[in-house]
Amino acid sequence: MSHTILLIQHTGSKGSRTFMDHDTVANALDAVCQLYEGKLKSQHPGQHSYSYDVNDLFRYVDSLGDISALVFDGRIQAYQPKSKEWVKEKLLAHLRRIAS
């Protein structure tokens, strides 16, 4: 279990910056999916179910002003910064695990 802080800037505006605190990397990745699903719900309010593929999710991540993560590394007792590309790589691996 690695405590993970997601740093998200929803738009190009610095005022849209926020963070999300999670007990594990997996929970943080689930939260990214939930953010995207929330966007789908707001775009299609009458729809009750949504389907999307990893490319749709990646387009959403790329549309954000910025996203990165700080993942706690117990060996050094510090947080390691992770990039948007790392988030996307981990999302892909996470979704593959869930699907299998």
Side-chain angles (χ1 to χ4, degrees):
M1 285 187 11
S2 296
H3 185 256
T4 304
I5 302 168
L6 283 175
L7 305 170
I8 301 169
Q9 184 171 325
H10 292 278
T11 67
S13 168
K14 289 182 180 182
S16 71
R17 289 178 178 170
T18 190
F19 72 94
M20 300 170 75
D21 189 29
H22 300 280
D23 291 335
T24 66
V25 171
N27 288 349
L29 297 170
D30 286 338
V32 174
C33 295
Q34 291 168 1
L35 285 172
Y36 179 56
E37 291 165 6
K39 181 178 179 179
L40 291 174
K41 282 182 183 181
S42 70
Q43 290 175 335
H44 309 283
Q47 199 169 333
H48 298 289
S49 65
Y50 307 92
S51 63
Y52 58 89
D53 64 25
V54 71
N55 292 318
D56 297 325
L57 183 58
F58 282 3
R59 274 191 291 279
Y60 167 72
V61 169
D62 287 335
S63 77
L64 295 171
D66 197 10
I67 185 170
S68 58
L70 297 171
V71 180
F72 188 74
D73 184 338
R75 292 174 294 123
I76 62 171
Q77 295 293 301
Y79 286 87
Q80 296 285 333
K82 304 296 183 181
S83 69
K84 179 186 284 191
E85 289 308 311
W86 180 90
V87 171
K88 290 167 62 175
E89 289 171 13
K90 293 299 180 184
L91 275 169
L92 180 59
H94 181 65
L95 293 173
R96 281 184 176 154
R97 260 191 312 279
I98 290 171
S100 62

